[in-house]
Amino acid sequence: MRAMPFRDGCTIESPVRDLRRVPIHPDHWYPLAWSRELKPGKTLGAHFAGEPIVLARTASGSVFALEDRCAHRQVPLHAGVVDGESIRCGYHGWTYDCSGQCVDVPYLGRERLPNGVRAYPCREAHGMIFVFPGDATLAGERPLPQLASVTDKAYKTRRFGREVSCHYSFMHENLMDMNHQFLHRRQMGQMRARSLGRRRGENFIEVDYTFVRMAGKQPAGEALVFGASKNRSEQSGQSVMTVRTEYPYQTLRIRSNDDALVMDLWIVYVPLDARQRTNRTFGLLSVRRPSVPFLLDAAWPLLVWFTERIFKEDRAIVELEQAAHDRQGADWNHEVFPVINELRELLRNCGDRTVIPIREASDLA
Amino acid sequence: MRAMPFRDGCTIESPVRDLRRVPIHPDHWYPLAWSRELKPGKTLGAHFAGEPIVLARTASGSVFALEDRCAHRQVPLHAGVVDGESIRCGYHGWTYDCSGQCVDVPYLGRERLPNGVRAYPCREAHGMIFVFPGDATLAGERPLPQLASVTDKAYKTRRFGREVSCHYSFMHENLMDMNHQFLHRRQMGQMRARSLGRRRGENFIEVDYTFVRMAGKQPAGEALVFGASKNRSEQSGQSVMTVRTEYPYQTLRIRSNDDALVMDLWIVYVPLDARQRTNRTFGLLSVRRPSVPFLLDAAWPLLVWFTERIFKEDRAIVELEQAAHDRQGADWNHEVFPVINELRELLRNCGDRTVIPIREASDLA
Amino acid sequence: MRAMPFRDGCTIESPVRDLRRVPIHPDHWYPLAWSRELKPGKTLGAHFAGEPIVLARTASGSVFALEDRCAHRQVPLHAGVVDGESIRCGYHGWTYDCSGQCVDVPYLGRERLPNGVRAYPCREAHGMIFVFPGDATLAGERPLPQLASVTDKAYKTRRFGREVSCHYSFMHENLMDMNHQFLHRRQMGQMRARSLGRRRGENFIEVDYTFVRMAGKQPAGEALVFGASKNRSEQSGQSVMTVRTEYPYQTLRIRSNDDALVMDLWIVYVPLDARQRTNRTFGLLSVRRPSVPFLLDAAWPLLVWFTERIFKEDRAIVELEQAAHDRQGADWNHEVFPVINELRELLRNCGDRTVIPIREASDLA
């Protein structure tokens, strides 16, 4: 039988940490829900990397985030009720305000109130509820992501996303490596990406691409998202796609030959479970409205269909990558594209210093 | 990220065992099935704390209990057939009598019969089949529970129960802490319990309550079970509810102001799996018949509906408690009610001396 | 509570390895699929003992077998496409020929091609696709199984099988121990096997049986498979059934009193998962055609029904055996039949030298 590599071989033979075991760094703002998911007077249970967090919207519309557990018997507060500007646990009625302080135990005097639970910095922007799961003293100095196209009326924005069962790093690599057009051959025909150059800094890396069609004609969905190409040779000179990871977020922008931003995607992959093997993707895709009014609105269903198909193929393949990593117990990847090797180094350097424990391979077999 | 407590910190920092890892003590009589579940000439596979036990009822109606495995190839005997007063394994036909002795191997001479399997003391009472899973030499001196109201024709009894996915201790605490009326606010309105006093002994603890309605009127289902209150102020002086854990059983009794026993609940929580994270609840709820004949029978469906609703809410909340414990890997509970702290001490002291192994938190994530 | 045997007691108290933890030896030819399952121009993902293997049939009809992973990002090659005589990975289009060599990366020059993946010796015979998962240098000298009756027109052959959730050794023991007729009492009535004698060699063991009917009459399905018996006493003198394990295959042959081979079953149990707790059974049952033309064809549905019923009962019982072993964490079996003890010794001696890791009993509870 084939000799299997020693499970922790990677760690012992080299100081390089297995990227799939690097936790995302908590000292950033992460969306945990869409604004529309949290109704006034309701709670919503969410997770960040295995930490249960309850989001609450009071009757006045303000939002706050606490540890999703009652300090008493540890049942999740999201199973409780919003009462004025606080949350009341559904079991014995212990009550917490937006700072996590316990402000009422129905059967105890106010002078004997126990300690409360942790509160998280929480802000609402661009239709998302952001939480800062790390060191709260840093929350003020770390800016929320700026999404200029989302607030610019020259663009129409689609919000999309769902759970994907893989480590967030697979998502970054998938979007940045445009050599995977073969995966989308049914949607895009035979395209070939050409890397024009790349730039990097301490917390970002970005790469520019142009595309050449090898065969077939441009599908309508693609024309809508990436811009129509008048003819094949012209296309290669026209648009430039830039994919950028600015930790922990990612953007994909397409500029036409006159340097106009025609498409602007912002996306983030929020780990849900403690092992960070599942993430919830929050994506905002902004497309510049053409000069003909309502043309984009009319074509919107086609854009939705096209992006859903692409996203579905990407999701399937990254989940297969994660399954392979789980089975192999280490990172066997053999990368040949320099941009991706640099991206991995960035994700390792910007990640948390701890290591995600993994299951024994035998437990998964 | 929040510092997680060291997993075994509790054990190391203090001599107090994590209650959720204390196995129930096997030297008691536990019901493993309702009598009606075991038909004449049939077998029934049951479990006590991970031990598979086969119950058999012979054609004559008598019941016995053996290890649920054939000594030969370990397949469960409950997949076999009752043959006269013995069980025949369904694979090669090895046969065991009620003492567990192997009395026939079809293809071996009687002089070469192998050893048999363990038999458990087994008795049938009050519509339940009780087994003594511990040291069989103690079975004779430990009495079966006495359920006086069940056999008294002045009462009508409802048998109920189902599997609940939590350690048995959560069940005891749930019933004994009457400050959790907030959980049942939809069924009971705004009630507040007042603890009148408590008594304890080596193997029991009991607490008395009265109830005050804070708002709203008494629902019909509650009146039926707890007795109607003429008016609000009167109620508080009338009925007394006593909740008692007499290891390993629990009772809840309501006496009217003339000291008549109007409701008598007996309940036990039998661990099913080795980790004792699931229990099967056997409850017998006896209600005193009112002076008007058949009134109770007519109202019985309402009582069933009311108790099922209450039980469903209790089940949901204790399962959330267990899930929190599994995730936290230790007992983070912060109890403020003295009765419950004493109950926990009792359950620890009366429990088995071993420790339930738990999964790594990372395995559950 | 019952004292549980020390988990590794068997290993420590005696040098005998737990048979259920002995991996099957990989230096043999194993069928991984039926030929009909692999269409021209398609791939098929298969497993041998936890190793993922992709089978591919090119447009020309030839078959090859590779590790089922792309050397690049480890996604399974069975999710890719057959392209001429090679497989193209579905993600970035890396391409492998039948020897596992990487022959194209669309975005790299041919001079920079990375290493490929492992290829397995692969042959097609008797409607099955065989792979040699062990030391490939031994594949040439190890013959494919010879299935004379399958190619002989005097016989009609049924191919059958499915996944069974147990270690392959339970399957060998099940078929060889004909004292388990009690399991099939509904299909066969009361039969009793009599062992006539046995023979063994380094890599085989075989045992002869005759059968005596204790009560009832012969069912039609059985008559078809095993041959009709004119009367009860005559039967015992007539047919001889020989069950043979010739590692790793098994056969069951019935010869009539004139030494004609009337039934010839060849069967093999291929482990699927790394823990070898699941196997895929490939069985070929050949029945000699009677002198009346088409009689066997007409009766074939009855034979199918009969064998399916028998196989279903066997599958259920061996899966119960495996479940008991998983729970007990060791081999508690208490075998009294010498043939089976010798068979176990054979399976241990011919198996791989490594040990299958098992889960903790507590993980399974």
Side-chain angles (χ1 to χ4, degrees), chain C residues 120-164:
Chain C
Y120 294 87
C122 181
R123 293 191 203 161
E124 194 165 11
H126 306 302
M128 292 175 281
I129 299 171
F130 286 87
V131 164
F132 195 91
D135 178 353
T137 63
L138 301 175
E141 70 195 48
R142 293 280 158 89
L144 279 176
Q146 300 300 314
L147 306 181
S149 302
V150 172
T151 49
D152 184 343
K153 289 186 174 171
Y155 294 84
K156 183 173 170 72
T157 296
R158 172 165 191 242
R159 289 172 171 76
F160 67 95
R162 67 192 66 180
E163 289 188 25
V164 183

Side-chain angles (χ1 to χ4, degrees), chain B residues 26 48-52 67 69 71-76 79 81 88-94 105-108 112 114-115 118 120 133-135 273-276 352 357 359 363, chain C residues 1-2 20 169-170 173-175 177-186 192-193 314 317-318 320-321 324-325 327-328 331-338 340 344 362-365:
Chain B
F48 174 82
E51 286 186 52
E67 273 185 277
R69 65 175 185 93
H72 179 210
R73 298 188 67 91
Q74 315 301 318
V75 296
V81 292
R88 189 172 284 272
C89 175
Y91 199 173
H92 299 81
W94 291 31
V105 172
Y107 51 96
L108 278 188
R112 297 169 53 204
N115 290 330
R118 177 181 175 188
Y120 294 87
D135 178 353
D273 58 320
R275 295 172 62 247
Q276 307 201 13
D352 193 51
R359 286 197 185 86
D363 291 345
Chain C
M1 310 186 87
R2 179 158 52 78
R20 315 314 177 190
S169 61
F170 289 110
E173 295 180 52
N174 170 265
L175 190 66
D177 188 350
M178 282 292 144
N179 295 307
H180 80 271
Q181 299 301 316
F182 185 68
L183 177 67
H184 305 304
R185 60 197 178 276
R186 289 176 211 85
R192 184 151 298 176
D314 283 330
I317 208 79
V318 292
L320 287 172
E321 287 193 277
H325 184 277
R327 197 181 58 78
Q328 294 168 350
D331 192 358
W332 292 18
N333 279 14
H334 178 66
E335 191 50 63
V336 295
F337 189 34
I340 299 303
R344 291 184 179 206
S362 63
D363 290 346
L364 293 152

Side-chain angles (χ1 to χ4, degrees), chain A residues 172 175-176 199-201 203-209 241-253 265-267 269 343 346:
Chain A
H172 279 270
L175 190 66
M176 191 162 279
R199 293 163 294 282
R200 62 190 292 197
N203 73 333
F204 80 91
I205 179 168
E206 64 183 14
V207 55
D208 298 327
Y209 291 101
M241 174 192 286
T242 302
V243 185
R244 176 183 175 100
T245 289
E246 184 170 331
Y247 196 87
Y249 315 114
Q250 199 165 33
T251 55
L252 185 155
R253 292 188 173 109
L265 169 69
W266 178 90
I267 196 162
Y269 320 105
L343 170 63
L346 178 83

Side-chain angles (χ1 to χ4, degrees), chain A residues 304-330:
Chain A
V304 170
W305 178 86
F306 178 76
T307 52
E308 282 299 306
R309 289 290 294 265
I310 296 289
F311 191 71
K312 189 177 172 184
E313 288 174 340
D314 283 330
R315 182 166 63 154
I317 207 80
V318 293
E319 292 186 342
L320 287 173
E321 287 194 277
Q322 180 65 62
H325 184 277
D326 286 342
R327 197 179 58 77
Q328 294 168 350

Side-chain angles (χ1 to χ4, degrees), chain A residues 1-2, chain C residues 24-30 32 48-49 51 53 118 120-121 130-136 270:
Chain A
M1 310 187 85
R2 180 158 52 79
Chain C
I24 210 164
H25 205 292
D27 290 344
H28 298 275
W29 289 97
Y30 291 96
L32 297 195
F48 174 81
E51 287 185 52
I53 296 175
R118 177 181 176 187
Y120 294 87
F130 286 87
V131 164
F132 195 91
D135 178 353
V270 183

Side-chain angles (χ1 to χ4, degrees), chain C residues 28 52 170 212 219 227 286 348-349 355:
Chain C
H28 298 275
F170 289 110
V212 184
S286 302
R348 263 191 218 97
N349 291 342
V355 174

